[in-house]
Amino acid sequence: MAVEGKAALWTLVGIFVVFKVVTTAVIVAMDPNAAQLIVGLFIALHWPFVIFGVVVGLATAGAWIAFRARLFRVRARKRELEAAEWRPDEIPQVFREWNG
């Protein structure tokens, strides 16, 4: 998806979220006695969106952690191979794995 498409998607999602929250806040401001009922209805009608948001957030965090872990391993391997260039008398780990 192009950057423009992502920006349009997040703008639309943001508009929906802000509209729903502001509408709920206005209803609660108009009738403070019904605040518990309104908030309860809001939660009852929007729990799938909350769960979806949490799942997407956790998936994004998991992907970021996995990427950083892989990047850490790749950089360590790069340092190992660069150090092996200066030790021609030793067999680097990469060649031991190939000749294995």
Side-chain angles (χ1 to χ4, degrees):
M1 181 180 279
V3 174
E4 296 85 13
K6 288 180 183 177
L9 173 69
W10 286 114
T11 302
L12 186 65
V13 168
I15 289 170
F16 285 150
V17 169
V18 169
F19 176 77
K20 288 176 179 291
V21 170
V22 168
T23 303
T24 302
V26 168
I27 292 171
V28 169
M30 292 291 188
D31 188 8
N33 297 329
Q36 186 176 1
L37 174 67
I38 298 301
V39 172
L41 282 173
F42 184 81
I43 292 170
L45 296 173
H46 294 90
W47 65 267
F49 299 107
V50 173
I51 291 175
F52 178 74
V54 168
V55 168
V56 167
L58 289 175
T60 303
W64 184 81
I65 289 170
F67 172 76
R68 299 303 289 180
R70 174 153 172 72
L71 187 63
F72 182 76
R73 287 192 310 268
V74 166
R75 287 180 178 169
R77 179 66 167 199
K78 179 182 175 190
R79 283 191 296 272
E80 178 186 342
L81 291 174
E82 285 176 346
E85 289 178 0
W86 297 98
R87 297 186 311 260
D89 53 328
E90 297 178 16
I91 300 174
Q93 176 68 26
V94 66
F95 295 122
R96 275 186 258 138
E97 291 172 2
W98 285 347
N99 293 330

Coordinates of all heavy atoms in Angstrom, one line a residue:
M1 N 0.8 -1.2 0.0 CA 0.0 0.0 0.0 C 0.9 1.2 0.0 O 1.9 1.3 0.7 CB -0.9 0.0 1.2 CG -1.8 1.2 1.3 SD -2.9 1.2 2.8 CE -4.2 0.0 2.2
A2 N 0.6 2.2 -0.8 CA 1.3 3.4 -0.9 C 1.2 4.2 0.3 O 0.3 4.1 1.1 CB 0.9 4.2 -2.1
V3 N 2.2 5.1 0.5 CA 2.2 6.0 1.7 C 0.9 6.9 1.7 O 0.3 7.1 2.8 CB 3.4 6.9 1.7 CG1 3.4 7.9 2.8 CG2 4.7 6.1 1.8
E4 N 0.4 7.3 0.6 CA -0.8 8.1 0.5 C -2.0 7.3 1.0 O -2.9 7.8 1.6 CB -1.0 8.7 -0.9 CG 0.0 9.6 -1.4 CD 1.2 8.9 -2.0 OE1 1.1 7.6 -2.3 OE2 2.3 9.5 -2.2
G5 N -2.0 6.0 0.6 CA -3.1 5.2 1.0 C -3.1 4.9 2.5 O -4.2 4.9 3.1
K6 N -2.0 4.8 3.1 CA -1.9 4.6 4.5 C -2.3 5.8 5.3 O -3.0 5.7 6.3 CB -0.5 4.2 4.9 CG -0.1 2.8 4.5 CD 1.3 2.4 4.9 CE 1.7 1.1 4.5 NZ 3.1 0.7 4.8
A7 N -1.9 7.0 4.8 CA -2.2 8.2 5.4 C -3.7 8.4 5.3 O -4.4 8.8 6.3 CB -1.5 9.4 4.7
A8 N -4.3 8.1 4.2 CA -5.8 8.2 4.1 C -6.5 7.3 5.0 O -7.5 7.6 5.7 CB -6.2 8.0 2.6
L9 N -6.0 6.0 5.1 CA -6.6 5.1 6.0 C -6.6 5.5 7.5 O -7.6 5.5 8.2 CB -5.9 3.7 5.9 CG -6.4 2.6 6.8 CD1 -7.8 2.2 6.6 CD2 -5.4 1.4 6.8
W10 N -5.4 5.9 7.9 CA -5.3 6.3 9.3 C -6.0 7.6 9.6 O -6.5 7.8 10.7 CB -3.8 6.5 9.7 CG -3.1 5.2 9.9 CD1 -2.2 4.6 9.1 CD2 -3.5 4.2 10.8 NE1 -1.9 3.4 9.5 CE2 -2.6 3.0 10.6 CE3 -4.4 4.1 11.9 CZ2 -2.7 1.9 11.4 CZ3 -4.4 2.9 12.6 CH2 -3.6 1.9 12.4
T11 N -6.2 8.5 8.6 CA -7.0 9.7 8.8 C -8.4 9.3 9.0 O -9.1 9.8 9.9 CB -6.8 10.6 7.6 OG1 -5.5 11.0 7.4 CG2 -7.7 11.9 7.7
L12 N -8.9 8.4 8.2 CA -10.3 7.9 8.3 C -10.5 7.2 9.7 O -11.5 7.5 10.3 CB -10.6 7.0 7.2 CG -12.1 6.5 7.0 CD1 -13.0 7.7 6.7 CD2 -12.2 5.5 5.9
V13 N -9.6 6.4 10.1 CA -9.8 5.7 11.3 C -9.8 6.7 12.5 O -10.6 6.6 13.4 CB -8.7 4.6 11.5 CG1 -8.6 4.1 13.0 CG2 -8.9 3.5 10.5
G14 N -8.9 7.7 12.4 CA -8.8 8.7 13.4 C -10.1 9.5 13.5 O -10.5 9.9 14.6
I15 N -10.6 9.9 12.4 CA -11.9 10.6 12.4 C -13.0 9.8 13.0 O -13.8 10.3 13.9 CB -12.3 11.0 10.9 CG1 -11.4 12.1 10.4 CG2 -13.7 11.4 10.9 CD1 -11.5 12.3 8.9
F16 N -13.1 8.5 12.7 CA -14.1 7.7 13.4 C -13.9 7.6 14.9 O -14.9 7.7 15.6 CB -14.1 6.2 12.8 CG -14.6 6.1 11.4 CD1 -14.2 5.1 10.6 CD2 -15.7 6.9 11.0 CE1 -14.7 5.0 9.3 CE2 -16.2 6.8 9.7 CZ -15.7 5.8 8.9
V17 N -12.7 7.4 15.3 CA -12.4 7.3 16.8 C -12.8 8.6 17.5 O -13.4 8.6 18.5 CB -11.0 6.9 17.0 CG1 -10.6 7.0 18.5 CG2 -10.7 5.4 16.5
V18 N -12.3 9.7 16.9 CA -12.6 11.0 17.6 C -14.1 11.3 17.6 O -14.6 11.7 18.6 CB -11.8 12.1 16.8 CG1 -12.2 13.5 17.3 CG2 -10.3 11.9 17.1
F19 N -14.8 11.0 16.5 CA -16.2 11.2 16.5 C -16.9 10.4 17.5 O -17.8 10.9 18.3 CB -16.8 10.9 15.1 CG -18.2 11.0 15.0 CD1 -18.8 12.2 14.9 CD2 -19.0 9.9 15.0 CE1 -20.2 12.4 14.8 CE2 -20.4 10.0 15.0 CZ -21.0 11.2 14.9
K20 N -16.6 9.2 17.7 CA -17.2 8.3 18.7 C -16.9 8.8 20.1 O -17.8 8.8 20.9 CB -16.8 6.9 18.5 CG -17.4 6.2 17.2 CD -16.9 4.8 17.1 CE -17.5 4.1 15.8 NZ -18.9 3.8 16.0
V21 N -15.7 9.1 20.4 CA -15.3 9.6 21.7 C -16.0 10.9 22.0 O -16.5 11.1 23.1 CB -13.8 9.6 21.9 CG1 -13.4 10.3 23.2 CG2 -13.2 8.2 21.8
V22 N -16.0 11.8 21.1 CA -16.6 13.2 21.3 C -18.1 13.1 21.5 O -18.7 13.7 22.4 CB -16.2 14.1 20.2 CG1 -17.0 15.4 20.3 CG2 -14.7 14.5 20.3
T23 N -18.7 12.2 20.7 CA -20.1 12.0 20.8 C -20.5 11.5 22.1 O -21.4 11.9 22.8 CB -20.7 11.1 19.7 OG1 -20.3 11.7 18.4 CG2 -22.1 10.9 19.7
T24 N -19.7 10.5 22.6 CA -20.0 9.9 23.9 C -19.8 11.0 25.0 O -20.6 11.1 26.0 CB -19.1 8.7 24.2 OG1 -19.3 7.8 23.1 CG2 -19.3 8.1 25.5
A25 N -18.7 11.8 24.9 CA -18.5 12.8 25.9 C -19.6 13.9 25.9 O -20.0 14.3 27.0 CB -17.1 13.5 25.6
V26 N -20.1 14.2 24.8 CA -21.2 15.2 24.7 C -22.5 14.6 25.3 O -23.2 15.3 26.1 CB -21.5 15.6 23.2 CG1 -22.8 16.4 23.1 CG2 -20.3 16.5 22.7
I27 N -22.8 13.4 25.1 CA -23.9 12.7 25.7 C -23.8 12.7 27.2 O -24.7 13.0 27.9 CB -24.2 11.3 25.1 CG1 -24.6 11.4 23.6 CG2 -25.2 10.6 25.9 CD1 -24.6 10.1 22.9
V28 N -22.6 12.3 27.7 CA -22.4 12.3 29.1 C -22.5 13.7 29.7 O -23.0 13.9 30.8 CB -21.0 11.6 29.4 CG1 -20.7 11.8 30.9 CG2 -21.1 10.2 29.1
A29 N -22.0 14.7 29.0 CA -22.1 16.1 29.5 C -23.5 16.6 29.5 O -23.9 17.3 30.4 CB -21.3 17.0 28.6
M30 N -24.3 16.1 28.6 CA -25.7 16.5 28.6 C -26.5 15.9 29.7 O -27.5 16.5 30.2 CB -26.4 16.2 27.2 CG -25.8 17.0 26.1 SD -26.4 18.7 26.3 CE -25.8 19.3 24.7
D31 N -26.2 14.6 30.0 CA -27.0 13.9 31.1 C -26.0 13.2 32.0 O -25.7 12.0 31.8 CB -28.0 13.0 30.5 CG -28.9 12.4 31.5 OD1 -28.8 12.8 32.7 OD2 -29.7 11.4 31.1
P32 N -25.4 13.8 32.9 CA -24.4 13.2 33.8 C -24.9 12.0 34.6 O -24.2 11.1 35.0 CB -23.9 14.3 34.7 CG -24.4 15.6 34.1 CD -25.5 15.3 33.3
N33 N -26.3 12.0 34.8 CA -26.8 10.8 35.5 C -26.8 9.5 34.7 O -26.8 8.5 35.3 CB -28.3 11.1 35.9 CG -28.4 12.3 36.8 OD1 -27.5 12.6 37.6 ND2 -29.5 13.1 36.7
A34 N -26.7 9.7 33.4 CA -26.7 8.5 32.6 C -25.3 8.1 32.2 O -25.1 7.3 31.2 CB -27.5 8.7 31.3
A35 N -24.3 8.6 32.8 CA -22.9 8.4 32.4 C -22.5 6.9 32.5 O -21.9 6.4 31.5 CB -21.9 9.2 33.3
Q36 N -22.9 6.2 33.5 CA -22.6 4.8 33.6 C -23.3 4.0 32.5 O -22.6 3.1 31.9 CB -23.0 4.3 35.0 CG -22.6 2.9 35.3 CD -23.0 2.4 36.7 OE1 -23.6 3.1 37.4 NE2 -22.6 1.2 37.0
L37 N -24.5 4.3 32.2 CA -25.2 3.6 31.1 C -24.6 3.9 29.8 O -24.3 3.0 29.0 CB -26.7 4.1 31.1 CG -27.5 3.5 29.9 CD1 -27.7 2.0 30.1 CD2 -28.8 4.2 29.9
I38 N -24.2 5.1 29.5 CA -23.6 5.5 28.2 C -22.3 4.9 28.1 O -22.0 4.3 27.0 CB -23.5 7.0 28.1 CG1 -24.9 7.7 28.1 CG2 -22.8 7.4 26.8 CD1 -25.9 7.2 27.0
V39 N -21.4 4.9 29.1 CA -20.1 4.3 29.0 C -20.2 2.8 28.9 O -19.5 2.2 28.1 CB -19.3 4.7 30.2 CG1 -18.0 3.9 30.2 CG2 -19.0 6.2 30.2
G40 N -21.2 2.2 29.6 CA -21.4 0.8 29.4 C -21.9 0.4 28.0 O -21.4 -0.6 27.5
L41 N -22.8 1.2 27.4 CA -23.2 0.9 26.1 C -22.0 1.1 25.1 O -21.9 0.4 24.1 CB -24.3 1.9 25.7 CG -25.7 1.5 26.2 CD1 -26.7 2.6 25.9 CD2 -26.1 0.1 25.6
F42 N -21.2 2.1 25.3 CA -20.1 2.4 24.5 C -19.1 1.2 24.5 O -18.7 0.7 23.4 CB -19.3 3.7 25.0 CG -18.2 4.1 24.1 CD1 -18.4 4.8 22.9 CD2 -16.9 3.7 24.4 CE1 -17.3 5.1 22.1 CE2 -15.8 4.1 23.6 CZ -16.1 4.8 22.4
I43 N -18.9 0.7 25.7 CA -18.0 -0.5 25.8 C -18.6 -1.7 25.2 O -18.0 -2.5 24.4 CB -17.6 -0.8 27.3 CG1 -16.7 0.4 27.7 CG2 -16.9 -2.1 27.4 CD1 -16.4 0.4 29.2
A44 N -19.9 -1.9 25.4 CA -20.6 -3.1 24.9 C -20.7 -3.1 23.3 O -20.6 -4.1 22.7 CB -22.1 -3.1 25.4
L45 N -20.8 -1.9 22.7 CA -20.9 -1.8 21.3 C -19.5 -1.7 20.6 O -19.5 -1.9 19.4 CB -21.7 -0.6 20.9 CG -23.2 -0.7 21.3 CD1 -23.9 0.6 21.0 CD2 -23.9 -1.8 20.7
H46 N -18.5 -1.4 21.3 CA -17.2 -1.2 20.7 C -16.1 -2.1 21.1 O -14.9 -2.0 20.7 CB -16.8 0.3 20.9 CG -17.6 1.2 20.3 ND1 -18.7 1.8 20.9 CD2 -17.6 1.8 19.0 CE1 -19.3 2.6 20.1 NE2 -18.7 2.6 18.9
W47 N -16.4 -3.2 21.9 CA -15.4 -4.1 22.3 C -14.7 -4.8 21.2 O -13.5 -5.0 21.3 CB -15.9 -5.1 23.3 CG -16.9 -6.1 22.8 CD1 -18.3 -5.9 22.9 CD2 -16.7 -7.3 22.2 NE1 -18.9 -7.0 22.3 CE2 -17.9 -7.9 21.9 CE3 -15.5 -8.0 21.9 CZ2 -18.0 -9.1 21.2 CZ3 -15.6 -9.2 21.2 CH2 -16.9 -9.8 20.9
P48 N -15.3 -5.1 20.0 CA -14.6 -5.7 18.9 C -13.5 -4.8 18.4 O -12.4 -5.3 18.0 CB -15.6 -6.0 17.9 CG -16.9 -6.1 18.6 CD -16.8 -5.1 19.7
F49 N -13.8 -3.5 18.3 CA -12.8 -2.6 17.8 C -11.6 -2.5 18.8 O -10.4 -2.3 18.4 CB -13.4 -1.2 17.6 CG -14.5 -1.2 16.6 CD1 -15.8 -1.1 17.0 CD2 -14.3 -1.4 15.3 CE1 -16.9 -1.1 16.1 CE2 -15.3 -1.4 14.4 CZ -16.6 -1.3 14.8
V50 N -11.9 -2.5 20.1 CA -10.8 -2.5 21.1 C -9.9 -3.7 21.0 O -8.7 -3.6 21.0 CB -11.4 -2.3 22.5 CG1 -10.3 -2.4 23.6 CG2 -12.2 -1.0 22.6
I51 N -10.6 -4.9 20.9 CA -9.8 -6.1 20.8 C -9.0 -6.1 19.5 O -7.8 -6.5 19.5 CB -10.7 -7.3 20.8 CG1 -11.3 -7.5 22.3 CG2 -10.0 -8.6 20.4 CD1 -12.3 -8.6 22.4
F52 N -9.6 -5.7 18.4 CA -8.8 -5.6 17.1 C -7.6 -4.6 17.3 O -6.5 -4.9 16.8 CB -9.7 -5.1 16.0 CG -9.0 -5.0 14.7 CD1 -8.7 -6.1 14.0 CD2 -8.7 -3.7 14.2 CE1 -8.0 -5.9 12.7 CE2 -8.1 -3.6 13.0 CZ -7.7 -4.7 12.3
G53 N -7.8 -3.5 17.9 CA -6.7 -2.5 18.1 C -5.6 -3.1 19.0 O -4.4 -2.9 18.7
V54 N -6.0 -3.8 20.0 CA -5.0 -4.4 20.9 C -4.2 -5.5 20.1 O -3.0 -5.6 20.2 CB -5.6 -5.0 22.2 CG1 -4.7 -5.9 22.9 CG2 -6.2 -3.9 23.0
V55 N -4.9 -6.3 19.3 CA -4.3 -7.4 18.6 C -3.3 -6.8 17.5 O -2.2 -7.2 17.4 CB -5.3 -8.3 17.9 CG1 -4.6 -9.2 16.9 CG2 -6.0 -9.1 18.9
V56 N -3.7 -5.8 16.9 CA -2.9 -5.1 15.9 C -1.7 -4.5 16.5 O -0.5 -4.6 16.1 CB -3.7 -4.1 15.0 CG1 -2.8 -3.2 14.2 CG2 -4.7 -4.8 14.1
G57 N -1.9 -3.8 17.7 CA -0.8 -3.2 18.4 C 0.2 -4.3 18.9 O 1.4 -4.1 18.8
L58 N -0.3 -5.4 19.4 CA 0.6 -6.4 19.9 C 1.4 -7.1 18.7 O 2.6 -7.4 18.9 CB -0.2 -7.5 20.7 CG -0.7 -7.1 22.1 CD1 -1.5 -8.2 22.7 CD2 0.5 -6.7 23.0
A59 N 0.7 -7.3 17.6 CA 1.4 -7.8 16.4 C 2.5 -6.9 15.9 O 3.5 -7.3 15.6 CB 0.3 -8.1 15.3
T60 N 2.2 -5.6 15.9 CA 3.2 -4.6 15.5 C 4.4 -4.6 16.4 O 5.5 -4.6 16.0 CB 2.5 -3.2 15.4 OG1 1.4 -3.3 14.6 CG2 3.5 -2.2 15.0
A61 N 4.1 -4.7 17.7 CA 5.2 -4.7 18.7 C 6.0 -6.0 18.6 O 7.2 -6.0 18.6 CB 4.6 -4.6 20.1
G62 N 5.3 -7.1 18.4 CA 6.0 -8.4 18.2 C 6.9 -8.4 16.9 O 8.0 -8.9 16.9
A63 N 6.4 -7.8 15.9 CA 7.1 -7.7 14.6 C 8.4 -6.8 14.8 O 9.5 -7.2 14.3 CB 6.3 -7.2 13.5
W64 N 8.2 -5.8 15.5 CA 9.3 -4.9 15.8 C 10.4 -5.6 16.6 O 11.6 -5.5 16.3 CB 8.8 -3.6 16.5 CG 9.9 -2.6 16.7 CD1 10.4 -1.7 15.8 CD2 10.7 -2.4 17.9 NE1 11.4 -1.0 16.3 CE2 11.6 -1.4 17.6 CE3 10.6 -3.0 19.2 CZ2 12.5 -0.9 18.6 CZ3 11.5 -2.5 20.1 CH2 12.4 -1.5 19.8
I65 N 10.0 -6.3 17.7 CA 10.9 -7.0 18.5 C 11.6 -8.1 17.7 O 12.8 -8.2 17.9 CB 10.2 -7.6 19.8 CG1 9.8 -6.4 20.7 CG2 11.1 -8.6 20.5 CD1 8.8 -6.9 21.8
A66 N 10.9 -8.8 16.9 CA 11.5 -9.9 16.1 C 12.5 -9.2 15.1 O 13.6 -9.8 14.9 CB 10.5 -10.6 15.3
F67 N 12.2 -8.1 14.5 CA 13.1 -7.4 13.6 C 14.4 -7.0 14.3 O 15.5 -7.2 13.8 CB 12.4 -6.2 12.9 CG 13.3 -5.4 12.1 CD1 13.7 -5.8 10.9 CD2 13.8 -4.2 12.6 CE1 14.6 -5.0 10.1 CE2 14.6 -3.4 11.9 CZ 15.1 -3.8 10.6
R68 N 14.2 -6.4 15.5 CA 15.4 -5.9 16.2 C 16.3 -7.1 16.7 O 17.5 -7.0 16.6 CB 14.9 -5.1 17.5 CG 14.1 -3.9 17.1 CD 14.9 -2.9 16.2 NE 16.0 -2.3 16.8 CZ 16.8 -1.4 16.3 NH1 16.6 -1.1 15.0 NH2 17.7 -0.9 16.9
A69 N 15.6 -8.2 17.1 CA 16.4 -9.4 17.5 C 17.2 -9.9 16.3 O 18.4 -10.3 16.4 CB 15.5 -10.5 18.0
R70 N 16.6 -10.0 15.1 CA 17.3 -10.5 13.9 C 18.4 -9.5 13.5 O 19.5 -10.0 13.2 CB 16.3 -10.7 12.8 CG 17.0 -11.0 11.5 CD 16.1 -11.8 10.5 NE 16.7 -12.0 9.2 CZ 17.7 -12.8 9.0 NH1 18.3 -13.4 9.9 NH2 18.2 -12.9 7.7
L71 N 18.1 -8.2 13.6 CA 19.1 -7.2 13.3 C 20.3 -7.4 14.2 O 21.5 -7.3 13.8 CB 18.5 -5.8 13.4 CG 19.4 -4.7 13.0 CD1 19.7 -4.8 11.5 CD2 18.7 -3.4 13.2
F72 N 20.1 -7.7 15.5 CA 21.1 -7.9 16.5 C 22.0 -9.1 16.1 O 23.2 -9.0 16.2 CB 20.5 -8.0 17.9 CG 21.5 -8.2 19.0 CD1 22.2 -7.1 19.5 CD2 21.7 -9.5 19.5 CE1 23.1 -7.3 20.5 CE2 22.7 -9.6 20.5 CZ 23.4 -8.6 21.0
R73 N 21.3 -10.2 15.7 CA 22.1 -11.4 15.3 C 22.9 -11.1 14.1 O 24.0 -11.6 14.0 CB 21.1 -12.6 15.1 CG 20.5 -13.1 16.4 CD 19.8 -14.4 16.2 NE 18.9 -14.4 15.1 CZ 17.6 -14.1 15.2 NH1 17.1 -13.8 16.4 NH2 16.8 -14.2 14.2
V74 N 22.3 -10.4 13.1 CA 23.0 -10.2 11.8 C 24.2 -9.3 12.1 O 25.3 -9.5 11.5 CB 22.0 -9.6 10.8 CG1 22.8 -9.0 9.6 CG2 21.0 -10.6 10.3
R75 N 24.1 -8.3 12.9 CA 25.2 -7.4 13.2 C 26.3 -8.2 14.0 O 27.5 -7.9 13.7 CB 24.7 -6.2 14.0 CG 24.0 -5.2 13.1 CD 23.5 -4.0 13.9 NE 22.8 -3.1 13.0 CZ 22.1 -2.1 13.5 NH1 22.0 -1.8 14.8 NH2 21.5 -1.3 12.6
A76 N 25.9 -9.1 14.9 CA 26.9 -9.8 15.6 C 27.7 -10.7 14.6 O 28.9 -10.9 14.7 CB 26.3 -10.7 16.7
R77 N 26.9 -11.3 13.7 CA 27.6 -12.2 12.6 C 28.5 -11.4 11.8 O 29.6 -11.8 11.4 CB 26.4 -12.8 11.8 CG 26.9 -13.7 10.7 CD 27.6 -14.9 11.3 NE 27.8 -15.9 10.3 CZ 28.0 -17.1 10.5 NH1 28.0 -17.6 11.7 NH2 28.1 -18.0 9.5
K78 N 28.1 -10.2 11.4 CA 28.9 -9.3 10.6 C 30.2 -9.0 11.3 O 31.3 -9.0 10.7 CB 28.2 -8.0 10.3 CG 29.0 -7.0 9.4 CD 28.2 -5.8 9.2 CE 29.1 -4.8 8.5 NZ 28.5 -3.5 8.4
R79 N 30.1 -8.7 12.6 CA 31.3 -8.4 13.4 C 32.2 -9.6 13.4 O 33.5 -9.5 13.3 CB 31.0 -7.9 14.8 CG 30.5 -6.5 14.9 CD 30.4 -6.0 16.3 NE 29.4 -6.8 17.1 CZ 28.1 -6.5 17.2 NH1 27.7 -5.4 16.5 NH2 27.3 -7.2 17.9
E80 N 31.7 -10.8 13.6 CA 32.4 -12.0 13.6 C 33.2 -12.2 12.3 O 34.4 -12.6 12.3 CB 31.5 -13.2 13.9 CG 32.2 -14.5 13.9 CD 31.3 -15.7 14.0 OE1 30.1 -15.5 14.4 OE2 31.7 -16.8 13.7
L81 N 32.5 -12.0 11.2 CA 33.1 -12.2 9.9 C 34.2 -11.2 9.6 O 35.2 -11.4 9.0 CB 32.1 -12.2 8.8 CG 31.2 -13.5 8.8 CD1 30.1 -13.3 7.7 CD2 31.9 -14.7 8.5
E82 N 33.9 -9.9 10.0 CA 34.9 -8.9 9.8 C 36.2 -9.1 10.6 O 37.3 -8.9 10.2 CB 34.3 -7.5 10.2 CG 33.4 -7.0 9.1 CD 32.7 -5.7 9.5 OE1 32.8 -5.3 10.7 OE2 32.1 -5.1 8.6
A83 N 36.0 -9.6 11.9 CA 37.1 -10.0 12.7 C 37.9 -11.1 12.1 O 39.1 -11.2 12.2 CB 36.7 -10.3 14.1
A84 N 37.2 -12.1 11.5 CA 37.9 -13.3 10.9 C 38.7 -12.9 9.7 O 39.7 -13.6 9.4 CB 36.8 -14.3 10.5
E85 N 38.4 -11.7 9.1 CA 39.3 -11.3 7.9 C 40.7 -11.0 8.4 O 41.6 -11.1 7.6 CB 38.7 -10.0 7.3 CG 37.4 -10.2 6.5 CD 36.9 -8.9 6.0 OE1 37.5 -7.9 6.2 OE2 35.8 -9.0 5.4
W86 N 40.9 -10.7 9.6 CA 42.2 -10.3 10.2 C 42.9 -11.5 10.8 O 44.0 -11.4 11.3 CB 42.1 -9.2 11.2 CG 41.6 -7.9 10.5 CD1 40.3 -7.5 10.5 CD2 42.3 -7.0 9.7 NE1 40.2 -6.3 9.8 CE2 41.4 -6.0 9.3 CE3 43.7 -7.0 9.3 CZ2 41.8 -5.0 8.5 CZ3 44.1 -5.9 8.5 CH2 43.1 -4.9 8.1
R87 N 42.3 -12.7 10.8 CA 42.9 -13.9 11.3 C 42.8 -15.0 10.2 O 42.1 -16.0 10.3 CB 42.1 -14.4 12.5 CG 42.1 -13.4 13.7 CD 41.4 -14.0 14.9 NE 40.1 -14.6 14.6 CZ 38.9 -14.1 14.8 NH1 38.8 -12.9 15.3 NH2 37.8 -14.7 14.5
P88 N 43.7 -14.9 9.2 CA 43.6 -15.8 8.1 C 44.1 -17.2 8.5 O 43.7 -18.2 7.9 CB 44.6 -15.2 7.0 CG 45.5 -14.3 7.8 CD 44.7 -13.8 9.0
D89 N 44.8 -17.4 9.6 CA 45.3 -18.7 10.0 C 44.2 -19.5 10.7 O 44.3 -20.7 10.8 CB 46.5 -18.6 11.0 CG 46.2 -17.6 12.1 OD1 45.4 -16.7 11.9 OD2 46.7 -17.9 13.2
E90 N 43.1 -18.8 11.2 CA 42.0 -19.5 11.8 C 40.9 -19.7 10.7 O 40.8 -18.9 9.8 CB 41.4 -18.7 13.0 CG 42.4 -18.5 14.1 CD 41.8 -17.7 15.2 OE1 40.6 -17.5 15.2 OE2 42.6 -17.2 16.0
I91 N 40.1 -20.8 10.9 CA 39.0 -21.0 10.0 C 37.8 -20.3 10.7 O 37.4 -20.7 11.8 CB 38.7 -22.5 9.9 CG1 39.9 -23.2 9.3 CG2 37.5 -22.8 9.0 CD1 39.8 -24.7 9.2
P92 N 37.2 -19.4 9.9 CA 36.0 -18.7 10.5 C 34.8 -19.7 10.7 O 34.8 -20.8 10.1 CB 35.6 -17.7 9.4 CG 36.8 -17.6 8.5 CD 37.6 -18.9 8.7
Q93 N 33.9 -19.3 11.6 CA 32.8 -20.1 11.9 C 31.9 -20.5 10.6 O 31.5 -21.6 10.5 CB 31.9 -19.4 12.9 CG 30.6 -20.1 13.3 CD 30.9 -21.4 14.0 OE1 31.9 -21.5 14.7 NE2 30.0 -22.3 13.9
V94 N 31.8 -19.5 9.7 CA 31.0 -19.7 8.5 C 31.6 -20.9 7.7 O 30.8 -21.7 7.2 CB 30.9 -18.4 7.7 CG1 32.2 -18.0 7.1 CG2 29.8 -18.6 6.6
F95 N 32.9 -21.0 7.6 CA 33.4 -22.1 6.8 C 33.4 -23.4 7.5 O 33.3 -24.5 6.9 CB 34.9 -21.7 6.4 CG 35.0 -20.5 5.5 CD1 35.7 -19.4 5.9 CD2 34.3 -20.5 4.3 CE1 35.8 -18.3 5.1 CE2 34.4 -19.4 3.5 CZ 35.1 -18.3 3.9
R96 N 33.4 -23.4 8.9 CA 33.3 -24.6 9.6 C 31.8 -25.2 9.4 O 31.7 -26.4 9.3 CB 33.5 -24.4 11.1 CG 35.0 -24.5 11.4 CD 35.2 -24.4 12.9 NE 35.7 -23.0 13.2 CZ 35.3 -22.3 14.2 NH1 34.4 -22.7 15.0 NH2 35.7 -21.1 14.3
E97 N 30.9 -24.3 9.3 CA 29.5 -24.8 9.1 C 29.4 -25.4 7.7 O 28.6 -26.4 7.5 CB 28.5 -23.7 9.3 CG 28.4 -23.2 10.7 CD 27.5 -22.0 10.8 OE1 27.0 -21.5 9.8 OE2 27.4 -21.5 12.0
W98 N 30.0 -24.8 6.7 CA 29.9 -25.3 5.3 C 30.6 -26.6 5.1 O 30.2 -27.5 4.4 CB 30.5 -24.3 4.3 CG 29.6 -23.1 4.1 CD1 28.3 -23.0 4.5 CD2 30.0 -21.9 3.5 NE1 27.9 -21.7 4.1 CE2 28.9 -21.1 3.5 CE3 31.2 -21.4 2.9 CZ2 28.9 -19.8 2.9 CZ3 31.2 -20.2 2.4 CH2 30.0 -19.3 2.4
N99 N 31.8 -26.8 5.8 CA 32.6 -28.0 5.6 C 32.1 -29.1 6.5 O 32.5 -30.3 6.3 CB 34.1 -27.7 5.9 CG 34.6 -26.8 4.9 OD1 34.2 -26.8 3.7 ND2 35.6 -26.0 5.2
G100 N 31.3 -28.8 7.5 CA 30.7 -29.6 8.5 C 30.7 -31.0 8.6 O 30.5 -31.9 9.1

